[in-house]
Amino acid sequence: MGKYVFGVDVGGTYTKFGIFKDRKLIDKWKIDTDVENCGENILKNIGREIDKKTESMGVLKSSVEGCGICVPGPVDEKGLVRGCVNLGWGYKRAAVELENITGLKCAVLNDANAAALGEFDFGLGGEYDSAVMVTIGTGVGGAVIYKGQVLSGYRGNAGEIGHFKIDPLNGPECSCGKKGCLECYSSATGIVRFAYENLEKYPDTKLCIIENFTVKDMADLASEGDELCKLAFDRAGKFVALGLSFMAGAVDPKVFIIGGGVSQAGDVIFEPIRKYFKQFAFNTEEETPVLPAKLGNDAGIFGAAEFILKRRI
Amino acid sequence: MGKYVFGVDVGGTYTKFGIFKDRKLIDKWKIDTDVENCGENILKNIGREIDKKTESMGVLKSSVEGCGICVPGPVDEKGLVRGCVNLGWGYKRAAVELENITGLKCAVLNDANAAALGEFDFGLGGEYDSAVMVTIGTGVGGAVIYKGQVLSGYRGNAGEIGHFKIDPLNGPECSCGKKGCLECYSSATGIVRFAYENLEKYPDTKLCIIENFTVKDMADLASEGDELCKLAFDRAGKFVALGLSFMAGAVDPKVFIIGGGVSQAGDVIFEPIRKYFKQFAFNTEEETPVLPAKLGNDAGIFGAAEFILKRRI
């Protein structure tokens, strides 16, 4: 059994790499993701980076236990990537292809699942046995860890809290092609849109004097007491809490972990999430703690590396 | 290893028993459940029935592999029953107590989980590896089977689709103490209540001439084209479908199984469930089949017996 593991987080813009020894991150770096020609070079480029790193460190491939990669799309129970729009990929047996390129044992999982596994094993420090993680950023993603392992679901869609329908008949159109999804309301995009739509009702808001304001501006103003910004986060938190209550009713995890850019707003978003969750949750589910994520952008490489050492359920 | 297994389904009114040999039901019977004095005799009565049956059949206890019981309340990962209002029980280590009474290996699980496990292993015939079962009766219950095993959740609440909030701020009061739960709308009780609330708007409905009509009457009339009855089932099915879409987004099961009295209405309830589920589900989740349960009232004893042979996840 080798000592080194690679964790690779393939995004639409950057591909992030980590090399781990005895489950400790010893180096990390990133390259641009080449999405030209249906992303045909993505795996070759990963292979090249692994070769360069092992050579520069004088590490033999025989002392590398494997390479885990995570991708922004559904990955089913058998490791089949079922399409990644941002990478230009259709269905792809990415792990098998990367094994042929690198000669290493490889495994692939969804990026939200990887982030959750990373946060679960490294961020929480082993105190919990099950968790649901929600990432609130440009969109809203989610993942389920059960008994310490990724619960990916039959078609790779488990944990997709962002597409829980809040108002499926009359809500706004979502990028998924359906209506009224949670991420239309609670993502950074949804929070900013709500503020724009309600600017006229709140003439005193300081947002009026910021050109092209961001969710970060809104978080700062909410902390200072700006009514519109507070309302926008309260509303976003309410719908996240509703989504958490469905997750609790489905899998009853020991803990919730909230990450992503919007979670950086701190109490402004965590207070409404916790308040409404208690209101919406059934029975003892309301005791479930709602904790902030700790690893930030590195969660994916930690989780991808960890996945090599774990069985999927 | 013994050959016989007992499956016991403890309800608030009856306690149902099954004795199985090589996973085949060879006899079943029921007794009244004695809920007097905080249900203190329930387990003793089960022990007595097991003794009587083994004696009358000439079966040695050493050839009984164990006894599984299911109860109408949450059972956590460690087998602790966390209260059963209908049995008069508070927290109770029912499996350990029953082991002391019977001298058999015993295990306890929630009744909805038992029904799901029974339907999964016996009703579906082994074709699926994961399922969510929903039981629509006086209330609405649910359970998750993942990789062939019961997913009970950290506090024993996994699968509780009946308390997914449809309208948590303005909905009707639910028996759980909160508002706007799915079972307020889609249970037999909810369907009948909706009809009563809307009788005046539908003067032509034949419900007007039935005293104390039931959900069965409504199903018959809906099949004959009665507008109010059709609308009531459409509405109930819509909310069940919304609940299924949350289950799909959480655990992405291979199949849904729908049981309970209301499922006997057939197409009247299955058509709206399937139609709205396709509208509400994300991505490939919409392919998930929605199938009727097959075992009826015996699902609990099948699942309880099966649980003795299986590990919980």
Side-chain angles (χ1 to χ4, degrees):
Chain A
M1 205 146 96
K3 286 181 190 168
Y4 293 90
V5 174
F6 283 94
V8 183
D9 182 352
V10 189
T13 310
Y14 298 112
T15 299
K16 287 174 270 188
F17 294 79
I19 179 165
F20 295 79
K21 190 177 182 184
D22 299 326
R23 299 180 72 227
K24 287 198 169 51
L25 179 64
I26 54 172
D27 194 12
K28 63 176 182 172
W29 71 102
K30 69 181 177 182
I31 62 171
D32 290 344
T33 303
D34 177 5
V35 296
E36 294 293 309
N37 293 321
C38 300
E40 66 174 6
N41 292 319
I42 290 173
L43 295 176
K44 285 182 219 161
N45 292 345
I46 292 173
R48 191 195 62 219
E49 289 296 315
I50 289 175
D51 285 345
K52 276 165 61 181
K53 182 56 65 177
T54 48
E55 281 163 28
S56 73
M57 290 177 64
V59 169
L60 292 175
K61 280 223 176 156
S62 59
S63 59
V64 177
E65 196 158 333
C67 173
I69 69 170
C70 65
V71 298
V75 181
D76 73 13
E77 291 177 327
K78 292 174 180 156
L80 174 66
V81 178
R82 294 166 76 107
C84 280
V85 178
N86 295 341
L87 306 183
W89 290 359
Y91 277 39
K92 197 175 185 75
R93 301 209 168 276
V96 175
E97 289 186 33
L98 191 60
E99 284 188 351
N100 290 337
I101 292 168
T102 60
L104 296 173
K105 176 182 151 197
C106 295
V108 59
L109 80 167
N110 167 266
D111 58 359
N113 287 343
L117 189 57
E119 290 288 350
F120 186 83
D121 279 9
F122 295 93
L124 291 180
E127 194 183 334
Y128 299 89
D129 66 347
S130 61
V132 166
M133 181 172 175
V134 180
T135 304
I136 316 175
T138 316
V140 175
V144 180
I145 305 290
Y146 202 79
K147 301 287 176 188
Q149 295 172 344
V150 172
L151 192 156
S152 54
Y154 179 64
R155 298 162 198 81
N157 294 313
E160 281 289 3
I161 190 174
H163 297 281
F164 280 0
K165 301 295 174 291
I166 299 299
D167 186 1
L169 301 177
N170 303 307
E173 303 241 334
C174 181
S175 59
C176 73
K178 296 193 175 173
K179 280 184 179 176
C181 294
L182 192 149
E183 77 171 28
C184 300
Y185 303 91
S186 300
S187 63
T189 326
I191 295 170
V192 169
R193 186 172 50 218
F194 176 80
Y196 272 110
E197 288 169 356
N198 290 277
L199 269 182
E200 288 185 5
K201 291 188 206 157
Y202 293 82
D204 295 338
T205 176
K206 289 193 180 153
L207 287 179
C208 292
I209 56 169
I210 307 178
E211 205 174 340
N212 295 324
F213 58 80
T214 64
V215 77
K216 173 74 170 65
D217 297 323
M218 290 181 63
D220 293 342
L221 289 175
S223 302
E224 293 168 18
D226 186 283
E227 284 302 320
L228 175 56
C229 294
K230 278 166 62 184
L231 179 65
F233 282 100
D234 187 82
R235 178 175 176 270
K238 180 173 69 183
F239 292 127
V240 169
L242 190 57
L244 294 186
S245 77
F246 300 144
M247 283 292 184
V251 297
D252 191 11
K254 191 165 179 186
V255 64
F256 290 112
I257 310 168
I258 313 288
V262 172
S263 73
Q264 301 296 316
D267 286 348
V268 165
I269 187 73
F270 277 91
E271 278 181 9
I273 291 175
R274 291 180 179 129
K275 173 183 73 176
Y276 288 110
F277 178 70
K278 280 206 184 299
Q279 192 171 346
F280 301 158
F282 171 63
N283 198 343
T284 49
E285 290 165 9
E286 62 180 49
E287 299 160 9
T288 320
V290 181
L291 306 179
K294 290 183 183 167
L295 303 182
N297 288 331
D298 289 342
I301 59 174
F302 272 91
E306 193 74 353
F307 191 58
I308 277 290
L309 309 173
K310 294 209 151 192
R311 195 174 59 84
R312 180 197 298 262
I313 63 165
Chain B
M1 204 144 96
K3 286 181 191 168
Y4 292 90
V5 175
F6 283 94
V8 184
D9 182 352
V10 188
T13 310
Y14 297 113
T15 300
K16 288 173 272 186
F17 294 79
I19 178 165
F20 296 79
K21 189 177 182 185
D22 299 327
R23 300 180 73 227
K24 287 197 171 50
L25 180 64
I26 54 173
D27 195 12
K28 63 175 182 172
W29 70 101
K30 67 181 178 184
I31 62 171
D32 290 343
T33 303
D34 177 5
V35 296
E36 294 293 310
N37 292 322
C38 301
E40 66 174 6
N41 291 319
I42 291 173
L43 295 176
K44 286 181 217 159
N45 292 345
I46 292 173
R48 191 195 62 219
E49 290 295 316
I50 289 174
D51 285 345
K52 277 166 60 181
K53 182 57 66 178
T54 47
E55 281 162 28
S56 72
M57 290 177 64
V59 169
L60 293 173
K61 280 224 176 155
S62 58
S63 59
V64 177
E65 195 157 333
C67 174
I69 69 169
C70 65
V71 298
V75 183
D76 73 12
E77 291 178 327
K78 291 172 181 157
L80 174 66
V81 178
R82 295 167 76 107
C84 281
V85 179
N86 295 340
L87 306 183
W89 288 0
Y91 278 38
K92 196 174 186 73
R93 301 211 168 275
V96 175
E97 289 187 32
L98 191 60
E99 284 187 351
N100 292 336
I101 292 169
T102 61
L104 297 173
K105 175 182 151 197
C106 296
V108 59
L109 79 169
N110 167 266
D111 58 358
N113 287 343
L117 189 57
E119 290 288 349
F120 186 83
D121 278 9
F122 295 93
L124 291 179
E127 197 182 332
Y128 299 90
D129 66 346
S130 61
V132 167
M133 181 171 175
V134 180
T135 304
I136 316 175
T138 315
V140 175
V144 180
I145 305 291
Y146 203 80
K147 301 287 176 188
Q149 295 172 343
V150 172
L151 191 157
S152 54
Y154 180 65
R155 298 162 197 82
N157 293 312
E160 281 290 2
I161 190 173
H163 298 281
F164 280 0
K165 302 295 175 289
I166 299 298
D167 186 0
L169 300 177
N170 302 306
E173 303 241 334
C174 182
S175 59
C176 73
K178 298 196 174 173
K179 280 184 179 176
C181 295
L182 191 149
E183 78 170 29
C184 300
Y185 304 91
S186 300
S187 64
T189 325
I191 294 170
V192 169
R193 183 171 52 219
F194 176 80
Y196 272 110
E197 287 169 357
N198 289 276
L199 270 182
E200 289 185 4
K201 290 188 207 158
Y202 293 83
D204 295 338
T205 177
K206 289 189 178 155
L207 288 177
C208 292
I209 56 170
I210 307 177
E211 205 175 340
N212 295 325
F213 59 79
T214 64
V215 78
K216 172 74 170 65
D217 298 323
M218 289 182 62
D220 293 342
L221 289 176
S223 301
E224 294 168 16
D226 188 281
E227 285 302 320
L228 174 58
C229 295
K230 278 166 62 183
L231 179 66
F233 282 99
D234 186 83
R235 178 174 175 271
K238 180 173 70 185
F239 293 127
V240 170
L242 190 58
L244 295 186
S245 78
F246 300 144
M247 284 292 184
V251 296
D252 191 11
K254 191 165 179 186
V255 64
F256 290 112
I257 310 168
I258 313 290
V262 173
S263 73
Q264 302 296 316
D267 286 350
V268 165
I269 187 72
F270 277 91
E271 276 181 12
I273 291 175
R274 291 181 181 129
K275 174 184 73 177
Y276 288 110
F277 178 69
K278 279 205 184 301
Q279 192 172 345
F280 301 158
F282 171 64
N283 198 343
T284 50
E285 290 165 8
E286 62 179 51
E287 299 160 10
T288 319
V290 181
L291 306 179
K294 291 183 182 167
L295 303 181
N297 288 331
D298 289 343
I301 58 174
F302 273 91
E306 192 73 356
F307 192 58
I308 277 289
L309 309 172
K310 294 209 152 191
R311 193 172 61 82
R312 181 195 298 260
I313 63 165

